[in-house]
Amino acid sequence: MKLQGRALEHVAGAYALGILSQRARRRFEALLQQDLAVRRSAQRWDERLAGLAPPLPPVRPPDAAWAQIEARIAPAPRAGFLSRQRWTVLAALVLVASVVALVRSRS
């Protein structure tokens, strides 16, 4: 697919504004890799829109926000039915049962 003229400007503008659907955005990004005219149009739109928003000072998010982000990215493993503590208890019970069975069999 080759975008040209007004269609190219329209799609490049929508891309720069971030209002393309996910599918359209992926297709436009593929065109960005292949077509110099598409890259230039997208760059022009970025330059046009850059002047509309004043520069903002960087803001450090609260530490709690980072903790929540990390929890979403790599949630803590949930203990399954046989957690380490349950395995220990189960092993101890099996050992006790084995000893009791051994003692009874010798009597």
Side-chain angles (χ1 to χ4, degrees):
M1 179 176 98
K2 179 89 171 155
L3 284 174
Q4 298 177 24
R6 293 185 72 172
L8 172 58
E9 288 303 308
H10 176 77
V11 176
Y15 177 78
L17 289 169
I19 59 173
L20 290 178
S21 68
Q22 185 177 3
R23 181 177 178 206
R25 181 179 44 80
R26 282 195 310 259
R27 290 178 69 189
F28 187 78
E29 287 171 347
L31 289 174
L32 280 171
Q33 300 296 318
Q34 302 167 7
D35 193 330
L36 180 61
V38 172
R39 283 193 300 274
R40 285 183 177 160
S41 181
Q43 184 178 6
R44 282 192 303 272
W45 272 102
D46 283 341
E47 290 169 359
R48 284 181 205 150
L49 295 175
L52 297 178
L56 298 174
V59 176
R60 180 168 165 40
D63 291 335
W66 285 116
Q68 290 173 352
I69 291 169
E70 288 173 353
R72 287 182 186 168
I73 293 172
R78 293 182 0 190
F81 174 72
L82 291 177
S83 64
R84 174 178 254 171
Q85 184 179 9
R86 287 184 179 159
W87 271 112
T88 305
V89 170
L90 182 61
L93 289 173
V94 169
L95 180 63
V96 168
S98 299
V99 170
V100 168
L102 182 65
V103 169
R104 283 191 176 177
S105 68
R106 291 194 177 212
S107 313

